[in-house]
Amino acid sequence: MRTLRLFVYALAALGVTTAAGCSDGSSSSPDATLRVENRSDFSIVEIHVTSVGSSSWGPDLLGGDPLMPGEALTLGVTCDTYDALLVDEAGVDCQLHGVDLCLNDADWIIHNTTCTEFGAAKAAREAAAKAGSGAGAADAGTP
């Protein structure tokens, strides 16, 4: 059911019109599928896509249902080249540009290294927490 719901979101976000040369135009069905698998340590809470060159992001394709580590989903997409915006559980965003999804099925596997922003933000949070706990321990011994 999750895949079907996300398929509907994807069609709404990406549109059902086809780009010239990608389809015969006689059908509004998707030209390709995109399987997104989260193999990272981060929960992905939002995925937005837009055609390259667009000035705004499409709606959140996850619809409030996070893509947890180890989970995957499949989206139907119309032929185009897309930019993608991922947002993790801490609100850190990562942009990927020029994802070609024209007449081909693709697997998009998200690793810790896919979005270095996620790992950098996590390391900064952990360093700040460690510094804060170290300062608290030093302060605790002071009269």
Side-chain angles (χ1 to χ4, degrees), residues 11-143:
L11 288 179
L14 303 177
V16 292
T17 58
T18 57
C22 293
S23 172
D24 64 6
S26 63
S27 172
S28 62
S29 64
D31 299 313
T33 60
L34 172 63
R35 182 176 177 276
V36 181
E37 182 177 348
N38 185 2
R39 289 190 190 168
S40 77
D41 294 331
F42 308 98
S43 297
I44 307 299
V45 297
E46 295 179 31
I47 298 176
H48 301 267
V49 295
T50 190
S51 295
V52 169
S54 177
S55 61
S56 63
W57 293 105
D60 174 18
L61 298 178
L62 296 179
D65 189 10
L67 186 64
M68 304 303 285
E71 290 185 339
L73 61 93
T74 301
L75 304 169
V77 296
T78 56
C79 174
D80 207 344
T81 301
Y82 296 97
D83 290 335
L85 169 68
L86 304 176
V87 181
D88 77 356
E89 71 271 8
V92 177
D93 70 0
C94 169
Q95 296 183 24
L96 303 170
H97 300 280
V99 180
D100 182 8
L101 296 173
C102 199
L103 291 179
N104 56 25
D105 296 325
D107 287 326
W108 183 18
I109 300 173
I110 302 167
H111 297 279
N112 286 342
T113 57
T114 301
C115 292
T116 56
E117 296 88 349
F118 293 167
K122 180 180 179 184
R125 287 190 306 270
E126 289 172 349
K130 185 176 181 181
S133 67
D139 292 341
T142 307

